[in-house]
Amino acid sequence: MTQQTATSEDTRHGSLGAFIKSNIREYGLLLSLIVIMVFFQVATNGALFKPLNLTNIVLQNSYIVIMALGMLLIIVTGHIDLSVGSVAGFIGAVAAVLMVQQGMHFVPAAIICLAAGALIGAAQGYFVAYQKIPSFIVTLAGMLVFKGLALYILEGKSVGPFPPQFQLLSSGFIPNFLPTTFHTTSMLIGIAVTLLVLYFNLQDRRGQQAHGLAEEPMLFFVGRNALVAIGFILFSYLLSSYKGLPNVLIVMFALIALYAFITSSTTIGRRIYALGGNEKAARLSGIKTERLTFYTFMNMGVLAALAGLIFAARLNTATPKAGLGFELDVIAAVFIGGASASGGVGKVIGAVIGAFIMGVMNNGMSILGIGIDLQQLIKGLVLLAAVFLDVYYKKKS
């Protein structure tokens, strides 16, 4: 072997090692989800991957995933929102008053609820962004206020049922346009989405290569996309063998795609990360940091309202205790997904994977009959481990 060949070989191995080191959390997160799913599939004697149970996992975690998208932006900017569970519960209560007690059609009622969520987020964002009150204090107050308001407008009792059309938001499935027992339409949609994801990943890599930015080795790129394709196809097949794709899954996937695009390919997305990385430097570079913080909280309010509507539609009733503890699962999902507690770091796909790690753990432990006390203990330890790894790798870098 010539000296030049040996040098290039060392460089290749060095760059490969550097890539693995800098992306160990991202790949480790995906592998962690796979390991957890395989573990519970074996431990539950195959119950985890049954089509009915997979559908339940989607329905049970859809509102957590949706709120995690907004919480990611909040945490990336260096803030926190403790009120999301209470806001979701409050919006569900407002929806019940409008649709059940006042008889309003579900479409204008839902629009009013989303607008109310935006106003709530704007109010909290104003105090955080412009009055410089710590987000922890503002949203802790919001948690108490909206929990109390939900209890007040429901008069301490559950209100329902909701109109059947509104219930379809959470309990409905896309129609099968072919007269087959197997839900062929859902399977075709799953295949089409898989091909689109692979296509955009390939286009993104080509764009990076054109600008000399591609770091991911081809072996890793092919392996990662193969896992994604297998996962999507298998998931679509299992759901198609039951009732097909739930309506809420379509809503959730559309939001994931939208926020992935915003955070990775838009100016406002780059500014959010710049704000979280160094607020002073971002302000000096011309970014209106107060306005950006204000918008992220308003966005969180809208998503919390949407999650509240989905949860209310799933329960078919609004209860004073709705949304209790949601903020803990949402925040845990974002941190487990790789977001940094100090801001500036985090990805949409990481938050989604983090949410499903929490969801699969909740579902698997429930099937195994593990008590709620041990479930909380285990989830707390997982969250602590995720934050510890974030701090550990930050010290190593």
Side-chain angles (χ1 to χ4, degrees):
M1 181 183 293
T2 64
Q3 184 177 356
Q4 183 178 1
T5 305
T7 302
S8 62
E9 189 73 13
D10 290 340
T11 302
R12 185 176 67 84
H13 284 298
S15 60
L16 180 61
F19 173 80
I20 294 174
K21 184 177 179 181
S22 61
N23 293 271
I24 188 169
R25 286 210 66 184
E26 182 177 344
Y27 286 96
L29 191 64
L30 181 59
L31 290 175
S32 296
L33 177 60
I34 294 172
V35 169
I36 289 171
M37 293 181 74
V38 171
F39 169 77
F40 281 113
Q41 173 71 358
V42 174
T44 59
N45 296 317
L48 184 72
F49 283 172
K50 286 183 178 179
L52 173 60
N53 192 57
L54 278 180
T55 301
N56 287 333
I57 290 176
V58 171
L59 298 180
Q60 290 167 2
N61 292 280
S62 56
Y63 40 89
I64 300 298
V65 172
I66 288 170
M67 285 192 287
L69 297 174
M71 188 64 74
L72 172 68
L73 301 187
I74 295 286
I75 290 175
V76 164
T77 58
H79 297 288
I80 197 77
D81 191 342
L82 301 177
S83 70
V84 291
S86 297
V87 172
F90 170 70
I91 293 298
V94 172
V97 170
L98 294 176
M99 296 183 208
V100 180
Q101 295 182 344
Q102 303 298 324
M104 184 180 291
H105 190 273
F106 74 95
V107 173
I111 293 173
I112 290 173
C113 288
L114 293 176
L119 286 174
I120 291 169
Q124 296 191 137
Y126 169 78
F127 287 113
V128 174
Y130 294 103
Q131 298 302 319
K132 305 302 180 184
I133 302 175
S135 58
F136 181 89
I137 301 299
V138 172
T139 57
L140 179 60
M143 176 200 296
L144 300 174
V145 167
F146 295 111
K147 192 176 295 182
L149 285 175
L151 186 63
Y152 173 75
I153 66 174
L154 291 175
E155 298 178 345
K157 59 187 179 182
S158 298
V159 176
F162 285 98
Q165 301 95 324
F166 177 70
Q167 295 176 40
L168 293 177
L169 173 64
S170 186
S171 61
F173 296 81
I174 66 169
N176 189 12
F177 297 106
L178 297 175
T180 55
T181 305
F182 183 80
H183 209 289
T184 311
T185 303
S186 293
M187 190 68 224
L188 292 175
I189 291 175
I191 293 172
V193 169
T194 303
L195 293 175
L196 277 174
V197 169
L198 296 178
Y199 170 77
F200 283 121
N201 284 347
L202 183 59
Q203 289 296 102
D204 184 52
R205 180 177 175 83
R206 286 175 175 171
Q208 290 178 351
Q209 287 178 327
H211 295 87
L213 300 175
E215 292 182 346
E216 186 177 27
M218 180 58 72
L219 180 63
F220 280 78
F221 177 78
V222 172
R224 176 169 61 86
N225 283 276
L227 283 176
V228 169
I230 292 171
F232 272 52
I233 296 296
L234 179 60
F235 182 71
S236 301
Y237 173 79
L238 291 172
L239 291 186
S240 299
S241 63
Y242 178 53
K243 291 184 178 181
L245 301 177
N247 292 335
V248 71
L249 179 63
I250 304 300
V251 174
M252 185 174 69
F253 187 82
L255 288 173
I256 291 170
L258 173 64
Y259 279 82
F261 173 75
I262 289 173
T263 55
S264 63
S265 304
T266 66
T267 301
I268 192 169
R270 289 189 288 271
R271 287 177 176 175
I272 287 172
Y273 283 94
L275 168 60
N278 190 321
E279 182 178 0
K280 185 177 180 180
R283 188 184 301 111
L284 291 174
S285 66
I287 296 174
K288 292 179 171 57
T289 55
E290 289 87 359
R291 183 189 298 178
L292 199 57
T293 300
F294 175 81
Y295 286 150
T296 57
F297 275 91
M298 182 184 287
N299 172 75
M300 183 73 257
V302 174
L303 292 180
L306 177 58
L309 292 174
I310 291 172
F311 185 70
R314 178 170 172 264
L315 286 186
N316 196 23
T317 186
T319 68
K321 291 187 177 181
L324 184 64
F326 282 7
E327 61 279 346
L328 301 180
D329 282 340
V330 173
I331 293 169
V334 175
F335 281 132
I336 290 171
S340 173
S342 57
V345 177
K347 292 184 178 180
V348 166
I349 190 62
V352 173
I353 293 175
F356 276 106
I357 285 177
M358 296 291 291
V360 170
M361 287 175 58
N362 286 335
N363 185 268
M365 289 189 290
S366 296
I367 294 174
L368 293 175
I370 297 175
I372 189 67
D373 49 354
L374 281 179
Q375 289 190 34
Q376 297 294 337
L377 172 64
I378 292 170
K379 289 194 293 184
L381 292 174
V382 170
L383 174 59
L384 181 62
V387 177
F388 170 78
L389 287 175
D390 171 57
V391 175
Y392 174 77
Y393 285 118
K394 188 169 291 184
K395 288 180 178 179
K396 293 276 287 185
S397 60

